[in-house]
Each structure stands twice: as C-alpha cells, then as structure tokens.
C-alpha cells in the first residue's frame, strides 16, 4: 500500500531509508535481545503540505509507557531554558485573573514546576506513568494520558477552559495531529493560545543532524508545515521564535484566526524557508547524500581509532544515538560502552547494536582516550563539565554539523 501523508493524505514516497531500527529509547537486557522490535525508518517529505514525516512509526504505547527512559531533568541548561519559557508564557499569555495552563508531554514536570511554584492553576498531560509520577513528586498536577480530543473534553469538564496550551519537544511525537488540533480547539478559551517548540527542520537540514529522525519524532516541523497543519482547524501562526535548544529549535505561537496580531517574524521565517529550498525535493536528496557521507566518515574515524588501540566511549545514551549507531552499524567493537547519567538506562544495552550503558561514575575507574559525543545538542554544558578531561589531552569525536575530532 502506498503510504499517504498523515496531514493531507497525499501519496508519499520516502526520500531515503535508515534501514531497520529498534525503539530509540528501548534500552534492554540480554534476555530481551531475541524479541527486540524493529521497523524500517524511512522519512518522506509531503510536497503538498510541506511536512517532513517518517512513513512508518511504532504504536505510541510501544514507546511511551511506565518505563519511559527519558527524564527532562537530566540537563541543567534545559532547566534554565524551561524557566525562561515559563516566565515568557506567564508574562505574555497568562494575564487574565486566575489563569489556567496545560502542558502536553510534561514529562517529569521540569517546566510545569515553574507554574506550580507560583500557585498558578496548571495541569501536565503525560502518558508515561514513571515520569508523570516523578512530576507529581515535585508538586506538579499531572494527568497520565495521551493528549487528544477526549482528554481535552475531560479536562474542560473537570477544570474548565485553558488560557494557554503549551508544549516542548512533543508535538513532533504525535502521529494524530488532527486529534491534537481538535483537542486544542475544545480546550482553549476564545483568546487562548497554543504554543510549542520543536527541533527545527531548517537546522536539521543545515547541520545534517539526521539523528533527529527516530521513532518518536514522527514529524520534523517548519513554520510552513505548522501553518498548513493548523490552518485546517482555523488556527493561525501568530509568532515564531528560534531557539538554540536541542541543536536548533523553533517556538510556534498559534491562536484562532483574527484573535491575535500576526508578528512580522512569521513572514520573515516563511521567506527564509523558501530561500533555503525547504519545499524542494532536491533539498532532501542532497540531505540523503550528506547523511551517507557522514556515515562513511564517522565509521572511518572510529575504525582508525580502534586500529591504533585507542579506547572510545560514547557520551550520553541519547534517543538520537539509536539512529546513528544502527544506521552506521557501530557496535561494541568500536565503542566500549556509553556513559549516561539516567539510572533507568544504566546496566542495560543500547537498542539494536547492544552497546553496554554504564553510569557516569564508571568513568572514575579511568577516562577513555576519546568520547563520541552523542549529546551534541548539550555540547556547551558537557564541555564545561568535562573541561579537565579535554585540558588533559582527551579528545571528542563529533558528527554534527560534520564529522570531526575536537581537541583543546
Ligand atoms: O524529543 C525528545 C528530547 C527532548 O529528549 C525525546 N524524544 C527524547 C529525548 O531525546 P534525547 O534522548 O536525544 O535527549 P537529550 O537531552 O539529547 O539526551 C538526554 C540523555 O543524555 C539522557 O540519557 C541523559 C544524558 N546526558 C548525560 O549522560 N550527561 C545528558 C547530559 C546533559 C549529560 O551531561
Ligand atoms: N517536554 C519534555 C519531554 C519531551 S519527551 C521536554 O522537552 O523535556 C516527549 C514526552 O512526550 C514524553 O514524556 C512522552 O511520554 C510524551 N508524549 C508522547 N506522546 C504524547 C501525547 N500524545 N500526549 C502527551 N504527551 C505525549
């Protein structure tokens, strides 16, 4: 059956395949190796509505559950970022008396806590029970559920309409955006706003950051695609704000048509995207060629390191690294282990290629000769933390925006 666009149902072809992929956050134990789940990771670009999407996605319940492995609180800089995101929402969009804010994909409550602390009426909507429980332990009211029209109806009947529906790094995870748009329409007050920030397509293409594509990320948005998607539900894009988080993101503000002034930044961004050729098929063919080149260069560097007997360890068992490791077929022969600060990942093996994941404290037993930087999006935070390793001659292998060795 020919795949069709999840937004406008136009027939679509993939522009490349990353091959068979496991669940990106499916860290596992040896007993589970034989039954590990795989699907084919193949992105396509819909020329009708300009939405980049993966054509096959595992069921959400396979990815988001009571053992979800990603906790937002693992990055100190993201905590600072979410505080400023929350402050900006409060100042600009929560100006009514006794406002109510809802967050989709609130995870461990890192952003919602900044509303809870100010006694602002709030609710996080989070389907992964373990992270939702963590949020509650920080005083964040949390509904353990996927966000859709039914959830919105439940919230309105129990708590009333919301002034703002906010999100970060989750809209791109939800295959049924029609359900989200209908839910937003039901939940928001007439002047209410829908705000979300996600990895930005323009940055992904610019930096050949192909590891942004994995099972959870069913879409990679641009201003054009967001405008097209929500236009179907009478929302308009009223503002866009570029963010440096996660290697280049975009914050989108949407409101019902005619309710809020449209910032000139929207038109500027749309023109930029046209100039970059984000709507053109050839852009994705060039991207595919660059992915292949990146793969060859990365495998070559790791092989050279191995040939001269150098120890390379992965830095941070990110979801993104699952695409890189499986696409490049890099296993424990090239990477001794991956160091990660998240307890639920430690002592397990990485999805697909089965590299051991060890605690950060393991490094006290001896630093390697070099790290492969999987959390390249947290480079500034990590470089600061590991400055003595680098000063002592330790090396970093990075692959975004291109494959290189970083020395002091
Ligand atoms: O979109 C998503 C983003 C927000 O978070 C989700 N689909 C899943 C997740 O993606 P990711 O795993 O690629 O996220 P990060 O933030 O790039 O990486 C987090 C991982 O890195 C955690 O396992 C913790 C680890 N880490 C570490 O070991 N040392 C992170 C930092 C900053 C560190 O210093
Ligand atoms: N917003 C956080 C977490 C991003 S990870 C941050 O930026 O750090 C994506 C989160 O969205 C996960 O916690 C996942 O469980 C949740 N999620 C996935 N699908 C969802 C849906 N349909 N509705 C609400 N949350 C969802």
């Amino acid at each position: 059956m020919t795949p069709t666009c999840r937004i406008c149902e136009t027939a679509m072809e993939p522009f490349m395949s990353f091959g068979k992929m496991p669940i990106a956050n499916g860290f596992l134990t040896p007993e589970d190796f034989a039954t590990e789940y795989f699907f084919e990771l193949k992105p396509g670009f819909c020329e009708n509505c300009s939405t980049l999407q993966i054509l096959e996605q595992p069921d959400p319940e396979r990815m988001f559950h009571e053992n979800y492995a990603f906790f937002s609180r693992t990055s100190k800089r993201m905590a600072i970022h979410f505080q400023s995101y929350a402050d900006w929402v409060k100042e600009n969009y929560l100006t009514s008396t006794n406002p109510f804010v809802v967050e989709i994909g609130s995870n461990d409550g890192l952003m919602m806590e900044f509303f809870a602390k100010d006694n602002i009426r709030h609710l996080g909507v989070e389907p992964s029970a373990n992270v939702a429980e963590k949020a509650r332990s920080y005083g964040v009211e949390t509904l353990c559920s996927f966000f859709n029209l039914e959830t919105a109806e439940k919230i309105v009947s129990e708590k009333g309409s919301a002034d703002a529906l906010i999100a970060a790094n989750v809209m791109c995870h939800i295959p049924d955006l029609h359900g989200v748009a209908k839910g937003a329409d039901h939940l928001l007050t007439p002047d209410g706003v829908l705000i979300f920030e996600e990895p930005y397509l323009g940055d992904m293409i610019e930096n050949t950051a192909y590891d942004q594509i994995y099972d959870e990320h069913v879409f990679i948005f641009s201003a054009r695609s967001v405008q097209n998607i929500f236009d179907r539900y009478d929302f308009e894009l009223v503002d866009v704000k570029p963010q440096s988080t996660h290697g280049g993101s975009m914050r989108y503000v949407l409101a019902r048509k005619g309710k809020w002034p449209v910032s000139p930044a929207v038109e500027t961004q749309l023109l930029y995207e046209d100039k970059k050729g984000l709507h053109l098929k050839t852009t994705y063919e060039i991207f595919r060629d660059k992915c292949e080149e990146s793969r060859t260069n990365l495998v070559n560097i790791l092989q050279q390191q191995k040939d001269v007997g150098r120890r390379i360890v992965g830095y941070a068992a990110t979801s993104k690294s699952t695409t890189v490791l499986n696409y490049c077929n890099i296993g424990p022969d090239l990477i001794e282990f991956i160091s990660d600060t998240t307890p639920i990942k430690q002592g397990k093996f990485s999805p697909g290629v089965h590299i051991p994941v060890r605690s950060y404290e393991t490094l006290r037993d001896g630093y390697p000769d070099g790290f492969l930087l999987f959390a390249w999006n947290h480079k500034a935070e990590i470089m600061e933390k590991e400055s003595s390793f680098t000063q002592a001659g330790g090396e970093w292998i990075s692959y975004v925006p291109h494959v290189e060795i970083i020395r002091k």
Side-chain angles (χ1 to χ4, degrees):
M1 217 172 65
T2 318
T4 54
C5 172
R6 292 168 196 277
I7 305 303
C8 67
E9 290 173 16
T10 303
M12 283 181 72
E13 291 289 333
F15 58 80
M16 70 181 291
S17 172
F18 290 102
K20 290 282 167 214
M21 282 288 155
I23 297 295
N25 269 311
F27 295 87
L28 68 181
T29 52
E31 305 85 76
D32 297 326
F33 287 175
T35 55
E36 192 170 8
Y37 175 89
F38 288 88
F39 70 104
E40 191 182 350
L41 183 65
K42 39 183 200 305
F45 182 76
C46 177
E47 288 177 80
N48 183 48
C49 69
S50 291
T51 309
L52 189 138
Q53 54 205 278
I54 57 172
L55 302 186
E56 196 184 318
Q57 192 195 26
D59 290 338
E61 291 77 10
R62 244 185 215 287
M63 302 181 283
F64 310 115
H65 41 62
E66 67 285 359
N67 290 311
Y68 186 55
F70 173 71
F71 288 72
S72 303
R73 292 174 195 269
T74 46
S75 160
K76 290 202 172 84
R77 291 213 177 183
M78 286 309 292
I80 296 166
H81 172 74
F82 283 130
Q83 176 158 23
S84 81
Y85 185 171
D87 287 346
W88 174 83
V89 170
K90 283 178 221 170
E91 265 170 52
N92 293 287
Y93 302 103
L94 297 185
T95 48
S96 68
T97 42
N98 197 18
F100 178 38
V101 57
V102 175
E103 184 185 354
I104 307 178
S106 44
N107 197 273
D108 58 14
L110 182 58
M111 174 148 67
M112 278 280 106
E113 198 187 340
F114 296 111
F115 297 97
K117 275 181 186 157
D118 280 359
N119 292 319
I120 292 173
R121 286 199 303 135
H122 68 274
L123 181 69
V125 180
E126 173 50 65
S128 300
N130 59 335
V131 294
E133 198 44 49
K134 186 81 161 184
R136 291 190 190 107
S137 76
Y138 283 91
V140 172
E141 210 179 314
T142 306
L143 174 67
C144 189
S145 176
F146 288 95
F147 183 85
N148 48 34
L149 178 58
E150 208 186 326
T151 312
E153 284 169 349
K154 183 176 154 70
I155 299 171
V156 172
S157 69
E158 289 173 10
K159 297 177 180 290
S161 301
D163 301 85
L165 176 59
I166 64 174
N169 312 303
V170 60
M171 284 296 190
C172 68
H173 296 58
I174 307 180
D176 180 21
L177 282 183
H178 301 287
V180 171
K182 287 178 197 161
D185 193 30
H186 186 79
L187 178 65
L188 291 170
T189 59
D191 293 332
V193 284
L194 168 63
I195 306 173
F196 56 91
E197 59 179 44
E198 313 283 315
Y200 180 56
L201 180 65
D203 291 310
M204 185 189 89
I205 295 292
E206 177 82 29
N207 299 321
T208 318
Y210 67 86
D211 56 351
Q212 290 290 6
I213 301 173
Y214 56 92
D215 56 358
E216 295 182 17
H217 288 183
V218 61
F219 300 110
I220 304 289
F221 298 122
S222 60
R224 177 77 65 198
S225 61
V226 167
Q227 191 183 50
N228 285 338
I229 295 164
F230 288 91
D231 177 64
R232 301 170 149 253
Y233 295 92
D234 248 21
F235 281 100
E236 67 181 339
L237 186 56
V238 297
D239 207 356
V240 289
K241 289 196 175 296
Q243 306 293 321
S244 61
T245 45
H246 291 300
S249 299
M250 186 64 69
R251 185 177 298 167
Y252 306 96
V253 183
L254 293 120
R256 290 198 182 79
K257 287 181 182 165
K259 288 287 184 185
W260 283 77
V262 178
S263 157
V266 173
E267 191 54 29
T268 307
Q269 201 62 38
L270 293 171
L271 286 173
Y272 165 84
E273 291 177 358
D274 289 347
K275 216 168 129 209
K276 289 284 292 177
L278 291 189
H279 57 301
L280 301 175
K281 219 173 152 187
T282 47
T283 299
Y284 301 95
E285 288 161 1
I286 295 168
F287 173 75
R288 177 196 57 212
D289 295 347
K290 287 188 174 170
C291 291
E292 286 168 9
E293 189 186 325
S294 172
R295 169 171 64 178
T296 306
N297 292 344
L298 180 59
V299 172
N300 285 346
I301 278 202
L302 291 172
Q303 191 59 53
Q304 283 158 12
Q305 299 281 324
K306 186 187 172 183
D307 292 347
V308 294
R310 291 169 68 78
R311 286 180 59 221
I312 305 296
V313 163
Y315 200 102
T318 59
S319 323
K320 297 182 290 293
S321 69
T322 296
T323 296
V324 176
L325 292 167
N326 288 275
Y327 172 58
C328 303
N329 194 21
I330 296 167
D333 54 324
L334 294 175
I335 303 288
E336 192 177 311
F337 65 90
I338 306 173
S339 159
D340 194 281
T341 53
T342 314
I344 196 173
K345 297 182 185 178
Q346 297 161 1
K348 295 201 178 127
F349 290 81
S350 75
V353 294
H354 304 159
I355 300 173
V357 180
R358 307 222 169 106
S359 70
Y360 181 62
E361 289 66 35
T362 304
L363 294 173
R364 288 201 199 118
D365 302 337
Y367 267 68
D369 299 300
F371 281 118
L372 177 52
L373 183 59
F374 289 127
W376 53 268
N377 47 312
H378 299 303
K379 187 172 170 187
E381 176 173 350
I382 292 170
M383 287 302 173
E384 195 180 300
K385 189 156 88 179
E386 305 301 346
S387 60
S388 29
F389 164 75
T390 317
Q391 285 310 316
E395 293 183 347
W396 296 85
I397 299 168
S398 182
Y399 46 84
V400 175
H402 49 259
V403 176
E404 62 178 337
I405 297 186
I406 302 165
R407 303 182 177 94
K408 74 167 169 181

